[in-house]
Coordinates of all heavy atoms in Angstrom, one line a residue:
A52 N -74.2 -25.6 2.5 CA -74.0 -26.6 3.6 C -74.9 -26.3 4.8 O -75.4 -27.2 5.4 CB -72.5 -26.5 4.0
A53 N -75.1 -25.0 5.1 CA -76.0 -24.6 6.2 C -77.5 -25.0 5.8 O -78.2 -25.6 6.7 CB -76.0 -23.1 6.4
D54 N -77.9 -24.9 4.6 CA -79.2 -25.3 4.1 C -79.3 -26.8 4.3 O -80.4 -27.3 4.6 CB -79.5 -24.9 2.7 CG -79.7 -23.4 2.6 OD1 -80.0 -22.7 3.6 OD2 -79.6 -22.9 1.4
F55 N -78.3 -27.5 3.9 CA -78.3 -29.0 4.1 C -78.6 -29.4 5.5 O -79.4 -30.2 5.8 CB -76.9 -29.6 3.6 CG -76.7 -31.0 3.9 CD1 -77.3 -32.0 3.1 CD2 -76.0 -31.4 5.0 CE1 -77.1 -33.3 3.4 CE2 -75.8 -32.7 5.3 CZ -76.3 -33.7 4.5
L56 N -77.9 -28.7 6.5 CA -78.1 -29.0 7.9 C -79.5 -28.6 8.3 O -80.1 -29.3 9.1 CB -77.1 -28.3 8.7 CG -75.6 -28.8 8.6 CD1 -74.6 -27.8 9.2 CD2 -75.5 -30.2 9.2
K57 N -80.0 -27.5 7.8 CA -81.4 -27.1 8.1 C -82.4 -28.2 7.6 O -83.4 -28.4 8.3 CB -81.7 -25.7 7.5 CG -81.0 -24.6 8.2 CD -81.2 -23.3 7.5 CE -80.3 -22.2 8.2 NZ -80.4 -20.9 7.4
G58 N -82.1 -28.8 6.5 CA -82.9 -29.9 6.1 C -83.0 -31.1 7.0 O -83.9 -31.8 7.1
W59 N -82.0 -31.2 7.9 CA -82.0 -32.2 9.0 C -82.6 -31.7 10.2 O -82.7 -32.4 11.2 CB -80.5 -32.7 9.3 CG -80.0 -33.6 8.3 CD1 -79.2 -33.3 7.2 CD2 -80.2 -35.0 8.2 NE1 -78.9 -34.4 6.5 CE2 -79.4 -35.5 7.1 CE3 -80.9 -35.9 9.0 CZ2 -79.4 -36.8 6.8 CZ3 -80.8 -37.3 8.7 CH2 -80.1 -37.7 7.6
G60 N -83.0 -30.4 10.2 CA -83.7 -29.8 11.4 C -82.8 -29.0 12.3 O -83.2 -28.6 13.4
W61 N -81.5 -28.8 11.9 CA -80.6 -28.1 12.8 C -80.6 -26.6 12.5 O -80.5 -26.2 11.3 CB -79.2 -28.7 12.6 CG -79.2 -30.2 12.9 CD1 -78.9 -31.2 12.0 CD2 -79.6 -30.8 14.1 NE1 -79.1 -32.4 12.6 CE2 -79.5 -32.2 13.9 CE3 -80.0 -30.4 15.4 CZ2 -79.8 -33.1 14.9 CZ3 -80.3 -31.3 16.3 CH2 -80.2 -32.7 16.1
E62 N -80.6 -25.8 13.5 CA -80.4 -24.4 13.4 C -79.0 -24.0 13.5 O -78.3 -24.3 14.5 CB -81.2 -23.7 14.5 CG -82.7 -23.9 14.4 CD -83.5 -23.2 15.6 OE1 -82.9 -22.4 16.2 OE2 -84.6 -23.7 15.8
V63 N -78.5 -23.4 12.5 CA -77.1 -22.9 12.4 C -77.0 -21.5 11.9 O -77.9 -21.1 11.2 CB -76.1 -23.9 11.6 CG1 -76.1 -25.3 12.2 CG2 -76.6 -23.9 10.2
D64 N -75.9 -20.8 12.2 CA -75.7 -19.5 11.7 C -74.7 -19.6 10.5 O -73.5 -19.8 10.8 CB -75.2 -18.6 12.8 CG -75.2 -17.1 12.4 OD1 -75.3 -16.8 11.2 OD2 -75.0 -16.3 13.3
A65 N -75.2 -19.4 9.3 CA -74.3 -19.5 8.1 C -73.3 -18.4 8.1 O -72.3 -18.6 7.4 CB -75.2 -19.5 6.8
D66 N -73.5 -17.3 8.8 CA -72.6 -16.2 8.8 C -71.4 -16.5 9.7 O -70.3 -15.9 9.6 CB -73.2 -14.9 9.2 CG -74.3 -14.5 8.1 OD1 -74.1 -14.8 7.0 OD2 -75.3 -13.9 8.5
K67 N -71.6 -17.4 10.6 CA -70.5 -17.8 11.6 C -70.0 -19.2 11.3 O -70.3 -20.1 12.1 CB -71.0 -17.6 13.0 CG -71.4 -16.2 13.4 CD -71.8 -16.1 14.8 CE -72.2 -14.6 15.1 NZ -72.8 -14.5 16.4
V68 N -69.3 -19.3 10.2 CA -68.9 -20.7 9.8 C -67.3 -20.6 9.8 O -66.7 -19.6 9.4 CB -69.5 -21.1 8.4 CG1 -69.1 -20.1 7.4 CG2 -69.0 -22.5 8.0
F69 N -66.8 -21.7 10.2 CA -65.3 -21.9 10.1 C -65.0 -22.8 8.9 O -65.6 -23.9 8.9 CB -64.7 -22.5 11.4 CG -63.3 -22.7 11.3 CD1 -62.4 -21.6 11.3 CD2 -62.7 -24.0 11.3 CE1 -61.0 -21.8 11.3 CE2 -61.4 -24.2 11.2 CZ -60.5 -23.1 11.2
T70 N -64.2 -22.4 8.0 CA -64.0 -23.2 6.8 C -62.5 -23.6 6.8 O -61.6 -22.7 7.0 CB -64.3 -22.4 5.5 OG1 -65.6 -21.9 5.6 CG2 -64.1 -23.2 4.2
E71 N -62.2 -24.8 6.5 CA -60.8 -25.3 6.4 C -60.7 -26.4 5.4 O -61.6 -27.1 5.1 CB -60.3 -25.7 7.7 CG -61.0 -27.0 8.3 CD -60.4 -27.3 9.7 OE1 -59.2 -27.4 9.9 OE2 -61.2 -27.6 10.6
E72 N -59.5 -26.5 4.8 CA -59.2 -27.5 3.9 C -58.5 -28.6 4.7 O -57.5 -28.3 5.4 CB -58.3 -27.0 2.8 CG -58.0 -28.0 1.7 CD -57.2 -27.5 0.6 OE1 -55.9 -27.6 0.7 OE2 -57.7 -26.9 -0.4
I73 N -59.0 -29.9 4.5 CA -58.3 -31.0 5.2 C -58.0 -32.1 4.2 O -58.6 -32.1 3.1 CB -59.2 -31.6 6.3 CG1 -60.5 -32.1 5.8 CG2 -59.4 -30.5 7.4 CD1 -61.3 -32.9 6.8
T74 N -57.1 -33.0 4.5 CA -56.8 -34.1 3.6 C -57.3 -35.4 4.3 O -57.0 -35.7 5.4 CB -55.3 -34.2 3.3 OG1 -54.9 -32.9 2.7 CG2 -55.0 -35.3 2.4
I75 N -58.1 -36.1 3.5 CA -58.6 -37.4 4.0 C -57.3 -38.3 3.9 O -56.7 -38.4 2.9 CB -59.7 -38.0 3.2 CG1 -60.9 -37.0 3.1 CG2 -60.1 -39.4 3.7 CD1 -61.6 -36.8 4.4
P76 N -56.9 -39.0 5.0 CA -55.7 -39.8 5.0 C -55.8 -41.0 4.0 O -56.9 -41.5 3.8 CB -55.5 -40.2 6.4 CG -56.8 -40.1 7.1 CD -57.6 -39.0 6.3
K77 N -54.7 -41.3 3.5 CA -54.6 -42.5 2.6 C -54.8 -43.8 3.4 O -55.6 -44.6 3.0 CB -53.2 -42.5 1.9 CG -53.0 -43.7 1.0 CD -51.7 -43.7 0.4 CE -51.5 -45.0 -0.5 NZ -50.2 -45.1 -1.1
D78 N -54.2 -43.8 4.6 CA -54.4 -45.0 5.4 C -55.2 -44.6 6.6 O -54.8 -43.7 7.4 CB -53.0 -45.5 5.9 CG -52.1 -46.0 4.7 OD1 -52.7 -46.7 3.8 OD2 -50.9 -45.6 4.6
F79 N -56.3 -45.2 6.9 CA -57.2 -44.9 8.0 C -56.6 -45.5 9.3 O -56.4 -46.7 9.4 CB -58.6 -45.4 7.7 CG -59.4 -44.5 6.8 CD1 -58.8 -43.6 6.0 CD2 -60.7 -44.8 6.6 CE1 -59.5 -42.8 5.1 CE2 -61.5 -44.0 5.8 CZ -60.9 -43.0 5.0
S80 N -56.5 -44.7 10.3 CA -56.2 -45.1 11.6 C -57.5 -45.7 12.2 O -58.6 -45.6 11.6 CB -55.8 -44.0 12.5 OG -56.9 -43.0 12.7
E81 N -57.4 -46.3 13.4 CA -58.6 -46.8 14.1 C -59.7 -45.7 14.3 O -60.9 -46.0 14.1 CB -58.2 -47.4 15.4 CG -59.4 -48.1 16.1 CD -59.0 -48.8 17.4 OE1 -57.8 -49.3 17.5 OE2 -59.8 -48.7 18.4
V82 N -59.2 -44.5 14.6 CA -60.1 -43.4 14.8 C -60.9 -43.1 13.5 O -62.1 -42.9 13.5 CB -59.4 -42.2 15.3 CG1 -60.2 -40.9 15.4 CG2 -58.8 -42.4 16.7
Y83 N -60.1 -43.0 12.4 CA -60.8 -42.7 11.1 C -61.7 -43.8 10.7 O -62.7 -43.6 10.0 CB -59.7 -42.4 10.1 CG -59.9 -41.0 9.5 CD1 -59.2 -40.0 10.0 CD2 -60.8 -40.8 8.4 CE1 -59.4 -38.7 9.4 CE2 -61.0 -39.6 7.9 CZ -60.3 -38.5 8.4 OH -60.5 -37.2 7.9
E84 N -61.4 -45.1 11.0 CA -62.2 -46.2 10.7 C -63.6 -46.0 11.4 O -64.6 -46.3 10.9 CB -61.6 -47.5 11.0 CG -60.4 -48.0 10.1 CD -60.8 -48.3 8.7 OE1 -62.1 -48.5 8.4 OE2 -59.9 -48.5 7.9
R85 N -63.5 -45.6 12.7 CA -64.7 -45.4 13.5 C -65.5 -44.2 12.9 O -66.7 -44.3 12.9 CB -64.4 -45.2 15.0 CG -64.0 -46.5 15.7 CD -64.0 -46.3 17.2 NE -63.4 -45.1 17.7 CZ -62.2 -45.2 18.3 NH1 -61.5 -46.3 18.5 NH2 -61.6 -44.1 18.7
Y86 N -64.8 -43.2 12.5 CA -65.5 -42.0 11.9 C -66.1 -42.4 10.6 O -67.3 -42.0 10.3 CB -64.5 -40.9 11.7 CG -65.1 -39.6 11.2 CD1 -65.9 -38.8 12.1 CD2 -65.0 -39.2 9.9 CE1 -66.5 -37.7 11.7 CE2 -65.6 -38.0 9.5 CZ -66.3 -37.3 10.4 OH -66.9 -36.1 9.9
N87 N -65.5 -43.2 9.8 CA -66.1 -43.6 8.6 C -67.3 -44.6 8.8 O -68.2 -44.6 8.0 CB -65.0 -44.3 7.6 CG -65.5 -44.4 6.2 OD1 -66.0 -43.3 5.7 ND2 -65.5 -45.5 5.6
A88 N -67.3 -45.3 9.9 CA -68.4 -46.1 10.3 C -69.7 -45.2 10.4 O -70.8 -45.6 10.0 CB -68.2 -46.9 11.5
I89 N -69.5 -44.1 11.0 CA -70.6 -43.1 11.1 C -71.0 -42.7 9.7 O -72.2 -42.6 9.4 CB -70.2 -41.9 12.0 CG1 -69.9 -42.3 13.4 CG2 -71.2 -40.7 11.9 CD1 -69.3 -41.2 14.3
Q90 N -70.1 -42.4 8.9 CA -70.4 -42.0 7.5 C -71.2 -43.1 6.8 O -72.1 -42.8 6.1 CB -69.1 -41.6 6.7 CG -68.3 -40.5 7.4 CD -69.1 -39.4 7.9 OE1 -69.9 -38.8 7.2 NE2 -68.9 -39.1 9.2
L91 N -70.7 -44.3 6.9 CA -71.4 -45.4 6.2 C -72.8 -45.6 6.7 O -73.7 -45.9 5.8 CB -70.6 -46.7 6.4 CG -69.2 -46.8 5.8 CD1 -68.4 -48.0 6.3 CD2 -69.4 -46.9 4.3
K92 N -73.1 -45.4 7.9 CA -74.5 -45.5 8.4 C -75.4 -44.4 7.8 O -76.6 -44.6 7.7 CB -74.5 -45.3 10.0 CG -74.0 -46.5 10.7 CD -74.2 -46.3 12.2 CE -73.6 -47.4 13.0 NZ -73.7 -47.2 14.5
Q93 N -74.8 -43.3 7.4 CA -75.7 -42.3 6.8 C -75.5 -42.2 5.3 O -75.9 -41.2 4.7 CB -75.4 -40.9 7.5 CG -74.0 -40.4 7.5 CD -73.9 -39.1 8.3 OE1 -74.8 -38.7 9.0 NE2 -72.8 -38.5 8.2
G94 N -74.9 -43.2 4.7 CA -74.9 -43.3 3.2 C -73.6 -42.7 2.6 O -73.6 -42.5 1.3
Y95 N -72.6 -42.3 3.3 CA -71.4 -41.8 2.8 C -70.3 -42.8 3.0 O -70.4 -43.7 3.8 CB -71.1 -40.4 3.4 CG -72.1 -39.4 3.3 CD1 -72.9 -39.0 4.4 CD2 -72.3 -38.8 2.1 CE1 -73.9 -38.1 4.2 CE2 -73.3 -37.8 1.9 CZ -74.1 -37.5 3.0 OH -75.1 -36.5 2.9

Side-chain angles (χ1 to χ4, degrees):
D54 288 342
F55 171 81
L56 292 168
K57 288 176 187 172
W59 283 97
W61 305 117
E62 293 176 20
V63 299
D64 188 349
D66 295 330
K67 295 180 182 175
V68 59
F69 179 70
T70 305
E71 65 183 312
E72 185 180 89
I73 63 169
T74 301
I75 304 294
K77 180 180 177 185
D78 299 314
F79 283 11
S80 65
E81 185 179 324
V82 171
Y83 238 94
E84 290 290 349
R85 286 196 311 256
Y86 186 71
N87 199 48
I89 293 170
Q90 304 314 307
L91 291 168
K92 284 182 184 177
Q93 57 187 7
Y95 300 107

